[in-house]
Amino acid sequence: MSATLTYLPPPAQDPVPEGRSTRWAVWRSPAGQPPWARPALLGIALVAAVLYAWNLPQVDYAPLYSDAVKSMSESWHAFFYGAVDPQATYTLDKLAGSFVPQAISARIFGYHAWSLALPQVIEGVISVLVMYRIVRRWAGVVPGLLAAAIFTLTPVAASMFGHSMEDGALVMCLVLAADSYQRAVLEGRLRSLVWSGVWVGLGFQAKMVQAWMILPALAIGYLLTAPIDLRGRLKHLGIAGVVTLVVSVAWVALYTVTPAADRPYVSGSTNNSAAAMVFGYNGLGRIGITLPGAATPTGRSGGAPQLGPPGSHVGDSQSGPGGGPGGGPQGGQGGPQGGPGGGLQGGPGGGPQDPGGQQGGPQGGFQGPPPGDPHTESRADQLGTAKLLDGHLAVAISWLFPLTLLALVFGLWWWRRSERTDQVRGGLVMWGIWLVTFGAIFTVSEVAHTAYVASLAPPIAALSAVGIVMFWRAYQRGGRAAWLLPIAVAAETAWAAWLWSHFPYFLSWAKWGTLAIGVAAVVLLVLGRLVKQAPKNLVAAGLAVAVAAVLAAPATYAFSVLDPDYSGSSFDANAGPASGSN
Protein backbone atom coordinates (compact mmCIF):
# COMPACT_ATOMS: atom_id res chain seq x y z
CA MET A 1 0.00 0.00 0.00
CA SER A 2 2.71 2.44 -0.95
CA ALA A 3 0.56 4.63 -3.15
CA THR A 4 -0.21 8.02 -1.67
CA LEU A 5 -3.84 9.05 -1.59
CA THR A 6 -4.65 11.44 -4.40
CA TYR A 7 -6.17 13.74 -1.82
CA LEU A 8 -2.76 14.18 -0.18
CA PRO A 9 0.16 16.32 -1.34
CA PRO A 10 3.28 14.35 -2.29
CA PRO A 11 5.56 13.78 0.72
CA ALA A 12 8.47 16.19 1.00
CA GLN A 13 11.94 14.84 0.33
CA ASP A 14 14.67 14.80 2.94
CA PRO A 15 17.75 13.61 1.05
CA VAL A 16 20.68 12.26 2.98
CA PRO A 17 23.82 14.42 2.52
CA GLU A 18 26.58 12.62 0.67
CA GLY A 19 29.08 10.96 2.94
CA ARG A 20 26.74 10.98 5.94
CA SER A 21 24.66 8.15 7.29
CA THR A 22 21.51 8.50 9.39
CA ARG A 23 21.52 4.89 10.50
CA TRP A 24 22.07 5.80 14.14
CA ALA A 25 20.51 9.28 13.98
CA VAL A 26 17.06 8.06 14.97
CA TRP A 27 15.78 11.63 15.25
CA ARG A 28 16.35 12.29 11.54
CA SER A 29 13.67 11.46 9.01
CA PRO A 30 14.62 8.92 6.33
CA ALA A 31 14.93 10.03 2.73
CA GLY A 32 11.53 10.60 1.17
CA GLN A 33 9.97 11.93 4.37
CA PRO A 34 9.79 15.56 5.52
CA PRO A 35 12.36 16.58 8.17
CA TRP A 36 9.66 16.99 10.81
CA ALA A 37 8.20 13.49 10.37
CA ARG A 38 10.59 11.50 12.58
CA PRO A 39 10.69 14.08 15.43
CA ALA A 40 6.88 14.19 15.41
CA LEU A 41 6.69 10.40 15.53
CA LEU A 42 9.18 10.24 18.39
CA GLY A 43 7.11 12.82 20.24
CA ILE A 44 3.98 10.69 19.82
CA ALA A 45 5.90 7.60 20.97
CA LEU A 46 7.12 9.50 24.02
CA VAL A 47 3.56 10.49 24.90
CA ALA A 48 2.54 6.83 24.53
CA ALA A 49 5.39 5.65 26.76
CA VAL A 50 4.53 8.16 29.48
CA LEU A 51 0.82 7.44 29.24
CA TYR A 52 1.24 3.67 29.39
CA ALA A 53 4.02 3.63 32.03
CA TRP A 54 2.72 6.35 34.34
CA ASN A 55 1.10 4.01 36.86
CA LEU A 56 3.77 1.28 36.86
CA PRO A 57 4.87 2.14 40.44
CA GLN A 58 1.37 1.40 41.75
CA VAL A 59 -0.09 -1.03 39.24
CA ASP A 60 -2.07 -3.99 40.57
CA TYR A 61 -1.63 -7.73 40.14
CA ALA A 62 -4.06 -9.55 37.84
CA PRO A 63 -6.17 -11.98 39.88
CA LEU A 64 -5.16 -15.62 39.20
CA TYR A 65 -3.16 -14.63 36.11
CA SER A 66 -0.37 -13.28 38.31
CA ASP A 67 -0.21 -16.70 40.02
CA ALA A 68 0.55 -18.36 36.69
CA VAL A 69 3.26 -15.78 35.98
CA LYS A 70 4.80 -16.34 39.40
CA SER A 71 4.90 -20.09 38.90
CA MET A 72 6.29 -19.73 35.38
CA SER A 73 9.04 -17.43 36.66
CA GLU A 74 10.08 -20.01 39.27
CA SER A 75 9.81 -23.28 37.36
CA TRP A 76 10.75 -24.02 33.75
CA HIS A 77 8.30 -26.93 33.79
CA ALA A 78 5.51 -24.55 34.81
CA PHE A 79 6.82 -22.02 32.24
CA PHE A 80 6.47 -24.47 29.39
CA TYR A 81 2.92 -25.48 30.30
CA GLY A 82 1.66 -22.16 31.67
CA ALA A 83 0.82 -23.82 34.97
CA VAL A 84 -0.62 -21.92 37.92
CA ASP A 85 1.48 -23.76 40.51
CA PRO A 86 5.25 -24.51 40.42
CA GLN A 87 4.45 -28.24 40.57
CA ALA A 88 2.57 -27.82 37.27
CA THR A 89 -0.58 -29.68 38.29
CA TYR A 90 -3.10 -27.47 36.47
CA THR A 91 -3.35 -24.49 34.14
CA LEU A 92 -5.71 -21.59 33.77
CA ASP A 93 -8.07 -21.48 30.80
CA LYS A 94 -5.28 -19.90 28.74
CA LEU A 95 -2.30 -20.95 26.65
CA ALA A 96 1.16 -20.59 28.13
CA GLY A 97 1.93 -17.86 25.58
CA SER A 98 -0.55 -15.60 27.36
CA PHE A 99 1.91 -15.15 30.20
CA VAL A 100 5.32 -15.62 28.58
CA PRO A 101 6.22 -11.88 28.31
CA GLN A 102 5.35 -11.27 31.96
CA ALA A 103 7.15 -14.43 33.13
CA ILE A 104 10.34 -13.46 31.27
CA SER A 105 10.17 -9.97 32.74
CA ALA A 106 9.69 -11.43 36.23
CA ARG A 107 12.75 -13.66 35.73
CA ILE A 108 14.81 -10.61 34.73
CA PHE A 109 13.56 -7.98 37.18
CA GLY A 110 12.02 -10.11 39.91
CA TYR A 111 8.37 -10.75 40.64
CA HIS A 112 6.72 -7.34 41.09
CA ALA A 113 3.47 -5.91 39.83
CA TRP A 114 5.38 -3.35 37.74
CA SER A 115 7.64 -5.99 36.18
CA LEU A 116 4.55 -7.92 35.06
CA ALA A 117 3.11 -4.78 33.43
CA LEU A 118 6.36 -3.55 31.84
CA PRO A 119 6.15 -5.85 28.75
CA GLN A 120 2.77 -4.37 27.87
CA VAL A 121 4.21 -0.83 27.95
CA ILE A 122 6.86 -1.94 25.46
CA GLU A 123 4.25 -3.69 23.31
CA GLY A 124 2.18 -0.51 23.26
CA VAL A 125 5.03 1.72 22.11
CA ILE A 126 6.00 -0.80 19.41
CA SER A 127 2.39 -0.85 18.20
CA VAL A 128 2.33 2.96 17.95
CA LEU A 129 5.55 3.05 15.90
CA VAL A 130 4.40 0.27 13.57
CA MET A 131 0.99 1.90 13.08
CA TYR A 132 2.80 4.94 11.71
CA ARG A 133 4.85 2.81 9.34
CA ILE A 134 1.82 0.94 8.01
CA VAL A 135 -0.33 4.01 7.36
CA ARG A 136 2.58 6.13 6.11
CA ARG A 137 3.38 3.54 3.43
CA TRP A 138 -0.28 3.38 2.48
CA ALA A 139 -1.47 6.99 2.64
CA GLY A 140 1.44 9.29 3.44
CA VAL A 141 3.23 10.88 6.37
CA VAL A 142 0.41 13.01 7.75
CA PRO A 143 -2.14 10.17 7.95
CA GLY A 144 0.60 8.00 9.44
CA LEU A 145 1.25 10.46 12.24
CA LEU A 146 -2.47 10.92 12.85
CA ALA A 147 -2.96 7.14 13.01
CA ALA A 148 -0.14 6.79 15.56
CA ALA A 149 -1.62 9.61 17.65
CA ILE A 150 -5.17 8.26 17.48
CA PHE A 151 -4.00 4.78 18.44
CA THR A 152 -2.06 6.26 21.37
CA LEU A 153 -5.09 8.18 22.60
CA THR A 154 -7.59 5.34 22.36
CA PRO A 155 -8.89 5.03 25.96
CA VAL A 156 -8.84 1.23 26.14
CA ALA A 157 -5.28 1.16 24.78
CA ALA A 158 -4.12 3.80 27.27
CA SER A 159 -5.30 1.57 30.10
CA MET A 160 -4.53 -1.86 28.64
CA PHE A 161 -0.88 -1.21 27.80
CA GLY A 162 -0.28 -0.08 31.38
CA HIS A 163 -1.39 -3.37 32.95
CA SER A 164 -0.34 -7.00 32.86
CA MET A 165 -2.80 -8.57 30.45
CA GLU A 166 -2.32 -10.69 27.37
CA ASP A 167 -4.43 -8.42 25.17
CA GLY A 168 -1.47 -6.08 24.71
CA ALA A 169 0.57 -8.83 23.08
CA LEU A 170 -2.37 -9.74 20.85
CA VAL A 171 -2.81 -6.19 19.57
CA MET A 172 0.91 -5.83 18.92
CA CYS A 173 0.99 -9.13 17.01
CA LEU A 174 -2.00 -8.09 14.90
CA VAL A 175 -0.36 -4.76 14.05
CA LEU A 176 2.89 -6.53 13.12
CA ALA A 177 0.90 -9.01 11.03
CA ALA A 178 -0.66 -6.10 9.14
CA ASP A 179 2.81 -4.60 8.65
CA SER A 180 4.18 -7.81 7.11
CA TYR A 181 1.00 -8.24 5.07
CA GLN A 182 1.47 -4.78 3.65
CA ARG A 183 4.96 -5.63 2.42
CA ALA A 184 3.56 -8.80 0.88
CA VAL A 185 0.65 -7.16 -0.92
CA LEU A 186 2.86 -4.44 -2.36
CA GLU A 187 5.05 -6.83 -4.29
CA GLY A 188 3.28 -10.19 -4.10
CA ARG A 189 6.06 -11.39 -1.80
CA LEU A 190 5.53 -14.82 -0.24
CA ARG A 191 8.13 -14.42 2.50
CA SER A 192 6.42 -11.34 3.93
CA LEU A 193 3.02 -13.04 3.78
CA VAL A 194 4.46 -16.01 5.68
CA TRP A 195 5.79 -13.64 8.33
CA SER A 196 2.32 -12.16 8.60
CA GLY A 197 1.03 -15.67 9.29
CA VAL A 198 3.72 -16.16 11.93
CA TRP A 199 2.61 -13.00 13.74
CA VAL A 200 -1.02 -14.14 13.65
CA GLY A 201 0.09 -17.50 15.07
CA LEU A 202 1.98 -15.78 17.89
CA GLY A 203 -1.11 -13.69 18.55
CA PHE A 204 -3.03 -16.96 18.81
CA GLN A 205 -0.63 -18.05 21.56
CA ALA A 206 -1.63 -14.89 23.46
CA LYS A 207 -5.40 -14.81 22.93
CA MET A 208 -6.24 -17.96 20.99
CA VAL A 209 -9.07 -17.81 18.43
CA GLN A 210 -9.42 -14.03 18.72
CA ALA A 211 -6.19 -13.68 16.73
CA TRP A 212 -7.71 -15.59 13.81
CA MET A 213 -10.43 -12.96 13.45
CA ILE A 214 -7.99 -10.88 11.38
CA LEU A 215 -7.52 -13.62 8.78
CA PRO A 216 -10.50 -12.69 6.56
CA ALA A 217 -9.13 -9.15 6.21
CA LEU A 218 -5.63 -10.30 5.31
CA ALA A 219 -6.74 -13.11 2.99
CA ILE A 220 -9.33 -11.10 1.08
CA GLY A 221 -7.06 -8.07 0.89
CA TYR A 222 -4.23 -10.14 -0.58
CA LEU A 223 -6.49 -12.06 -2.93
CA LEU A 224 -7.98 -8.86 -4.33
CA THR A 225 -4.90 -6.64 -4.45
CA ALA A 226 -1.59 -8.52 -4.71
CA PRO A 227 0.11 -7.79 -8.09
CA ILE A 228 0.47 -11.41 -9.20
CA ASP A 229 -1.77 -13.85 -11.05
CA LEU A 230 -4.66 -15.61 -9.34
CA ARG A 231 -2.87 -18.95 -9.12
CA GLY A 232 0.10 -17.31 -7.42
CA ARG A 233 -2.13 -15.49 -4.96
CA LEU A 234 -3.95 -18.69 -4.02
CA LYS A 235 -0.66 -20.55 -3.65
CA HIS A 236 0.78 -17.86 -1.39
CA LEU A 237 -2.35 -17.78 0.75
CA GLY A 238 -2.29 -21.57 1.08
CA ILE A 239 1.35 -21.65 2.23
CA ALA A 240 0.88 -18.74 4.62
CA GLY A 241 -2.29 -20.38 5.96
CA VAL A 242 -0.42 -23.60 6.75
CA VAL A 243 2.28 -21.61 8.56
CA THR A 244 -0.37 -19.72 10.52
CA LEU A 245 -2.04 -22.97 11.56
CA VAL A 246 1.22 -24.64 12.58
CA VAL A 247 2.39 -21.72 14.70
CA SER A 248 -1.07 -21.28 16.21
CA VAL A 249 -1.69 -24.86 17.33
CA ALA A 250 1.89 -25.81 18.20
CA TRP A 251 1.31 -25.63 21.96
CA VAL A 252 -2.07 -27.38 21.71
CA ALA A 253 -0.50 -30.19 19.68
CA LEU A 254 2.41 -30.65 22.08
CA TYR A 255 0.01 -30.67 25.00
CA THR A 256 -2.24 -33.19 23.27
CA VAL A 257 0.53 -35.70 22.52
CA THR A 258 2.00 -35.45 26.03
CA PRO A 259 0.63 -38.17 28.36
CA ALA A 260 -1.80 -36.79 30.92
CA ALA A 261 0.38 -38.03 33.77
CA ASP A 262 3.26 -35.84 32.56
CA ARG A 263 1.44 -32.54 32.14
CA PRO A 264 -0.92 -30.26 34.05
CA TYR A 265 -4.68 -30.55 33.95
CA VAL A 266 -6.23 -28.10 31.46
CA SER A 267 -8.77 -25.83 33.12
CA GLY A 268 -11.62 -24.62 30.96
CA SER A 269 -12.23 -28.23 29.89
CA THR A 270 -14.05 -31.16 31.42
CA ASN A 271 -11.84 -33.83 29.85
CA ASN A 272 -8.33 -32.42 30.23
CA SER A 273 -8.30 -31.35 26.57
CA ALA A 274 -6.36 -28.31 25.38
CA ALA A 275 -8.32 -28.34 22.12
CA ALA A 276 -11.64 -28.23 24.00
CA MET A 277 -10.39 -25.34 26.12
CA VAL A 278 -9.07 -23.34 23.14
CA PHE A 279 -11.72 -23.96 20.49
CA GLY A 280 -14.68 -24.69 22.76
CA TYR A 281 -14.53 -22.73 26.00
CA ASN A 282 -12.55 -19.80 24.56
CA GLY A 283 -13.81 -20.14 20.99
CA LEU A 284 -17.28 -21.17 19.96
CA GLY A 285 -18.41 -21.01 23.56
CA ARG A 286 -18.21 -17.22 23.31
CA ILE A 287 -21.13 -17.24 20.90
CA GLY A 288 -23.13 -19.87 22.75
CA ILE A 289 -21.96 -23.02 20.92
CA THR A 290 -20.73 -25.80 23.22
CA LEU A 291 -18.16 -28.32 22.03
CA PRO A 292 -17.65 -31.71 23.72
CA GLY A 293 -15.22 -31.40 26.59
CA ALA A 294 -15.48 -27.62 26.89
CA ALA A 295 -16.41 -26.18 30.27
CA THR A 296 -19.53 -24.05 30.46
CA PRO A 297 -19.34 -22.08 33.71
CA THR A 298 -22.16 -19.79 34.76
CA GLY A 299 -21.60 -16.13 35.45
CA ARG A 300 -18.69 -16.18 33.07
CA SER A 301 -18.20 -12.46 32.82
CA GLY A 302 -17.97 -12.15 36.55
CA GLY A 303 -14.93 -14.30 37.18
CA ALA A 304 -12.72 -17.24 36.35
CA PRO A 305 -13.95 -20.73 35.51
CA GLN A 306 -13.50 -23.86 37.59
CA LEU A 307 -9.78 -24.52 37.85
CA GLY A 308 -8.29 -27.97 38.02
CA PRO A 309 -10.08 -31.30 37.56
CA PRO A 310 -13.89 -31.30 37.86
CA GLY A 311 -14.99 -31.30 41.47
CA SER A 312 -11.79 -29.76 42.80
CA HIS A 313 -11.63 -26.40 44.56
CA VAL A 314 -8.23 -25.20 43.40
CA GLY A 315 -8.14 -21.71 42.09
CA ASP A 316 -10.98 -20.47 44.28
CA SER A 317 -10.88 -16.68 44.43
CA GLN A 318 -10.08 -16.82 48.14
CA SER A 319 -7.39 -19.48 48.07
CA GLY A 320 -4.99 -21.31 45.86
CA PRO A 321 -1.34 -21.61 44.99
CA GLY A 322 0.71 -18.50 44.91
CA GLY A 323 -1.30 -16.66 47.56
CA GLY A 324 0.08 -14.60 50.37
CA PRO A 325 2.90 -12.08 50.03
CA GLY A 326 3.49 -13.04 46.43
CA GLY A 327 0.30 -11.36 45.38
CA GLY A 328 -1.85 -14.41 44.60
CA PRO A 329 -5.51 -15.07 45.26
CA GLN A 330 -5.05 -14.63 49.00
CA GLY A 331 -3.93 -11.10 48.42
CA GLY A 332 -0.71 -9.43 49.34
CA GLN A 333 0.76 -6.07 48.58
CA GLY A 334 -1.14 -4.66 45.64
CA GLY A 335 -2.77 -8.04 45.03
CA PRO A 336 -6.37 -8.88 44.20
CA GLN A 337 -7.57 -8.12 47.74
CA GLY A 338 -6.66 -4.49 47.37
CA GLY A 339 -3.59 -2.32 47.54
CA PRO A 340 -2.20 0.72 45.80
CA GLY A 341 -3.68 -0.20 42.46
CA GLY A 342 -7.05 -1.25 43.71
CA GLY A 343 -8.26 -4.82 43.39
CA LEU A 344 -11.33 -6.95 43.50
CA GLN A 345 -12.28 -5.73 46.95
CA GLY A 346 -12.02 -2.07 46.05
CA GLY A 347 -9.52 0.36 47.48
CA PRO A 348 -8.01 3.55 46.09
CA GLY A 349 -8.08 2.20 42.57
CA GLY A 350 -11.74 1.35 42.58
CA GLY A 351 -13.47 -1.98 42.30
CA PRO A 352 -16.90 -3.50 42.64
CA GLN A 353 -17.56 -1.49 45.80
CA ASP A 354 -16.71 1.74 43.97
CA PRO A 355 -16.79 1.15 40.21
CA GLY A 356 -14.01 3.06 38.56
CA GLY A 357 -13.36 5.12 41.67
CA GLN A 358 -16.34 7.29 40.85
CA GLN A 359 -16.39 8.94 44.24
CA GLY A 360 -12.83 10.17 43.82
CA GLY A 361 -9.57 9.11 45.38
CA PRO A 362 -8.00 10.02 48.70
CA GLN A 363 -7.19 13.52 47.49
CA GLY A 364 -10.61 14.17 46.08
CA GLY A 365 -9.86 13.18 42.49
CA PHE A 366 -12.65 13.68 39.98
CA GLN A 367 -16.07 14.34 41.43
CA GLY A 368 -18.23 11.26 41.02
CA PRO A 369 -22.00 10.83 40.79
CA PRO A 370 -24.24 10.63 43.81
CA PRO A 371 -25.01 7.22 45.34
CA GLY A 372 -27.50 5.19 43.36
CA ASP A 373 -26.66 6.77 40.02
CA PRO A 374 -27.78 4.35 37.27
CA HIS A 375 -24.45 4.72 35.47
CA THR A 376 -22.70 2.78 38.23
CA GLU A 377 -24.74 -0.36 37.65
CA SER A 378 -22.99 -3.64 37.02
CA ARG A 379 -21.75 -4.34 33.52
CA ALA A 380 -23.38 -7.77 33.60
CA ASP A 381 -26.54 -6.23 32.12
CA GLN A 382 -24.65 -4.43 29.33
CA LEU A 383 -24.17 -7.42 27.04
CA GLY A 384 -26.73 -6.68 24.35
CA THR A 385 -26.08 -6.25 20.66
CA ALA A 386 -25.61 -2.49 21.11
CA LYS A 387 -22.75 -2.97 23.55
CA LEU A 388 -20.22 -1.21 21.30
CA LEU A 389 -22.47 1.83 21.00
CA ASP A 390 -23.41 2.31 24.62
CA GLY A 391 -21.90 2.17 28.10
CA HIS A 392 -18.42 1.18 29.20
CA LEU A 393 -17.36 -0.53 25.96
CA ALA A 394 -18.39 2.45 23.87
CA VAL A 395 -16.30 4.95 25.84
CA ALA A 396 -13.40 2.52 25.63
CA ILE A 397 -13.24 2.25 21.83
CA SER A 398 -16.12 3.88 19.94
CA TRP A 399 -15.40 7.63 19.99
CA LEU A 400 -14.35 7.78 16.33
CA PHE A 401 -16.96 5.44 14.86
CA PRO A 402 -18.74 8.16 12.79
CA LEU A 403 -15.52 9.41 11.20
CA THR A 404 -14.25 5.86 10.64
CA LEU A 405 -17.42 4.72 8.88
CA LEU A 406 -17.64 7.87 6.75
CA ALA A 407 -14.02 7.44 5.67
CA LEU A 408 -14.60 3.78 4.79
CA VAL A 409 -17.83 4.34 2.85
CA PHE A 410 -16.70 7.37 0.85
CA GLY A 411 -13.19 6.01 0.34
CA LEU A 412 -14.53 2.82 -1.20
CA TRP A 413 -16.99 4.84 -3.30
CA TRP A 414 -14.34 7.24 -4.62
CA TRP A 415 -11.99 4.37 -5.49
CA ARG A 416 -14.67 2.00 -6.78
CA ARG A 417 -13.40 2.13 -10.37
CA SER A 418 -9.73 1.69 -9.51
CA GLU A 419 -7.80 -1.18 -10.99
CA ARG A 420 -7.57 -4.40 -9.03
CA THR A 421 -4.05 -3.78 -7.73
CA ASP A 422 -4.75 -0.23 -6.54
CA GLN A 423 -3.18 -0.09 -3.09
CA VAL A 424 -5.43 2.68 -1.79
CA ARG A 425 -8.59 0.68 -2.39
CA GLY A 426 -6.84 -2.48 -1.18
CA GLY A 427 -6.00 -0.81 2.10
CA LEU A 428 -9.56 0.40 2.55
CA VAL A 429 -10.81 -3.14 1.93
CA MET A 430 -8.36 -4.71 4.39
CA TRP A 431 -8.97 -2.23 7.22
CA GLY A 432 -12.70 -2.26 6.55
CA ILE A 433 -12.99 -6.05 6.75
CA TRP A 434 -10.90 -6.02 9.94
CA LEU A 435 -13.26 -3.44 11.45
CA VAL A 436 -16.46 -5.19 10.39
CA THR A 437 -15.28 -8.69 11.36
CA PHE A 438 -14.19 -7.79 14.87
CA GLY A 439 -17.14 -5.45 15.39
CA ALA A 440 -19.69 -8.04 14.29
CA ILE A 441 -18.23 -10.81 16.44
CA PHE A 442 -18.02 -8.57 19.51
CA THR A 443 -21.61 -7.50 18.88
CA VAL A 444 -23.06 -11.02 18.90
CA SER A 445 -20.72 -12.58 21.49
CA GLU A 446 -20.00 -12.03 25.14
CA VAL A 447 -17.32 -9.45 25.86
CA ALA A 448 -16.23 -10.46 29.34
CA HIS A 449 -13.39 -7.93 29.60
CA THR A 450 -13.13 -4.48 28.08
CA ALA A 451 -9.60 -5.12 26.80
CA TYR A 452 -11.04 -7.47 24.15
CA VAL A 453 -12.23 -4.51 22.09
CA ALA A 454 -8.70 -3.07 21.87
CA SER A 455 -8.36 -5.19 18.71
CA LEU A 456 -10.57 -2.58 17.03
CA ALA A 457 -8.08 0.21 17.73
CA PRO A 458 -5.78 -0.36 14.70
CA PRO A 459 -8.49 -0.20 11.97
CA ILE A 460 -10.21 2.72 13.69
CA ALA A 461 -6.91 4.62 13.93
CA ALA A 462 -5.97 3.91 10.30
CA LEU A 463 -9.35 4.69 8.75
CA SER A 464 -10.10 7.77 10.84
CA ALA A 465 -6.62 9.20 10.18
CA VAL A 466 -7.04 8.73 6.45
CA GLY A 467 -10.57 10.14 6.71
CA ILE A 468 -9.36 13.37 8.29
CA VAL A 469 -6.85 14.03 5.52
CA MET A 470 -9.07 12.71 2.75
CA PHE A 471 -11.97 14.96 3.74
CA TRP A 472 -9.64 17.90 4.27
CA ARG A 473 -8.26 17.62 0.74
CA ALA A 474 -11.83 17.35 -0.58
CA TYR A 475 -12.68 20.47 1.44
CA GLN A 476 -9.82 22.38 -0.16
CA ARG A 477 -10.84 21.33 -3.66
CA GLY A 478 -14.41 22.50 -3.21
CA GLY A 479 -17.63 21.15 -4.64
CA ARG A 480 -20.24 19.03 -2.88
CA ALA A 481 -17.57 16.75 -1.39
CA ALA A 482 -16.22 19.75 0.53
CA TRP A 483 -19.16 19.50 2.92
CA LEU A 484 -18.08 16.07 4.14
CA LEU A 485 -15.50 17.54 6.52
CA PRO A 486 -17.94 19.74 8.46
CA ILE A 487 -20.48 16.90 8.39
CA ALA A 488 -17.90 14.50 9.86
CA VAL A 489 -16.91 16.99 12.58
CA ALA A 490 -20.57 17.66 13.43
CA ALA A 491 -21.26 13.93 13.61
CA GLU A 492 -18.26 13.39 15.87
CA THR A 493 -19.32 16.25 18.14
CA ALA A 494 -22.84 14.86 18.50
CA TRP A 495 -21.52 11.33 19.04
CA ALA A 496 -19.09 12.52 21.74
CA ALA A 497 -21.96 14.27 23.53
CA TRP A 498 -23.98 11.03 23.43
CA LEU A 499 -21.19 8.84 24.77
CA TRP A 500 -20.20 11.33 27.46
CA SER A 501 -23.85 11.59 28.58
CA HIS A 502 -23.51 8.12 30.11
CA PHE A 503 -21.06 9.55 32.64
CA PRO A 504 -22.33 13.11 33.14
CA TYR A 505 -20.40 13.71 36.36
CA PHE A 506 -17.00 12.94 34.88
CA LEU A 507 -15.06 16.14 34.10
CA SER A 508 -18.15 18.08 33.11
CA TRP A 509 -16.05 21.14 32.32
CA ALA A 510 -14.06 19.10 29.79
CA LYS A 511 -17.27 17.76 28.27
CA TRP A 512 -18.62 21.24 27.64
CA GLY A 513 -15.23 22.40 26.42
CA THR A 514 -15.12 19.54 23.92
CA LEU A 515 -18.59 20.38 22.64
CA ALA A 516 -17.62 24.05 22.32
CA ILE A 517 -14.56 23.13 20.27
CA GLY A 518 -16.71 20.95 18.02
CA VAL A 519 -19.25 23.71 17.43
CA ALA A 520 -16.48 26.24 16.76
CA ALA A 521 -14.87 23.86 14.26
CA VAL A 522 -18.13 23.36 12.36
CA VAL A 523 -18.76 27.12 12.27
CA LEU A 524 -15.27 27.85 10.95
CA LEU A 525 -15.51 25.13 8.32
CA VAL A 526 -18.92 26.32 7.14
CA LEU A 527 -17.71 29.93 6.95
CA GLY A 528 -14.69 28.75 5.00
CA ARG A 529 -17.04 27.35 2.35
CA LEU A 530 -19.63 30.13 2.32
CA VAL A 531 -17.26 33.10 2.32
CA LYS A 532 -15.86 33.69 -1.13
CA GLN A 533 -12.08 33.70 -1.18
CA ALA A 534 -11.94 32.93 2.51
CA PRO A 535 -8.65 33.95 4.15
CA LYS A 536 -6.12 31.14 4.33
CA ASN A 537 -5.80 31.73 8.07
CA LEU A 538 -9.51 31.04 8.50
CA VAL A 539 -9.28 27.82 6.54
CA ALA A 540 -6.16 26.70 8.44
CA ALA A 541 -7.83 27.51 11.74
CA GLY A 542 -10.84 25.49 10.70
CA LEU A 543 -8.66 22.42 10.08
CA ALA A 544 -6.74 22.78 13.35
CA VAL A 545 -9.89 23.20 15.41
CA ALA A 546 -11.57 20.33 13.51
CA VAL A 547 -8.75 17.89 14.39
CA ALA A 548 -8.84 19.10 18.01
CA ALA A 549 -12.61 18.61 18.11
CA VAL A 550 -12.38 15.06 16.78
CA LEU A 551 -9.66 13.98 19.21
CA ALA A 552 -10.62 15.99 22.32
CA ALA A 553 -13.08 13.51 23.86
CA PRO A 554 -11.05 10.27 23.46
CA ALA A 555 -7.89 12.14 24.48
CA THR A 556 -9.57 13.37 27.67
CA TYR A 557 -10.56 9.84 28.60
CA ALA A 558 -7.14 8.47 27.64
CA PHE A 559 -5.24 11.02 29.72
CA SER A 560 -7.49 10.33 32.70
CA VAL A 561 -5.39 7.18 33.28
CA LEU A 562 -2.74 9.52 34.74
CA ASP A 563 -4.99 9.53 37.80
CA PRO A 564 -4.73 6.02 39.32
CA ASP A 565 -8.42 6.14 40.23
CA TYR A 566 -9.27 6.20 36.52
CA SER A 567 -6.60 3.97 35.03
CA GLY A 568 -8.45 0.66 35.06
CA SER A 569 -7.01 -2.53 36.47
CA SER A 570 -5.11 -5.64 35.42
CA PHE A 571 -8.41 -7.51 35.43
CA ASP A 572 -10.23 -5.14 33.09
CA ALA A 573 -8.81 -2.23 31.13
CA ASN A 574 -10.65 1.04 30.65
CA ALA A 575 -10.13 4.73 31.28
CA GLY A 576 -12.21 7.39 32.96
CA PRO A 577 -15.26 6.65 35.12
CA ALA A 578 -15.81 3.32 33.32
CA SER A 579 -12.50 1.97 34.66
CA GLY A 580 -12.29 -0.82 37.19
CA SER A 581 -13.61 -4.37 37.02
CA ASN A 582 -17.06 -5.39 38.06
Side-chain angles (χ1 to χ4, degrees), residues 14 154 177 194 256 370 383 427 429 458 509 520 546 551:
D14 184 27
T154 301
V194 167
T256 302
L383 300 176
V429 169
W509 61 269
L551 299 183

Side-chain angles (χ1 to χ4, degrees), residues 364-380:
F366 299 115
Q367 181 62 43
D373 189 277
H375 299 293
T376 64
E377 292 180 358
S378 171
R379 298 175 188 173

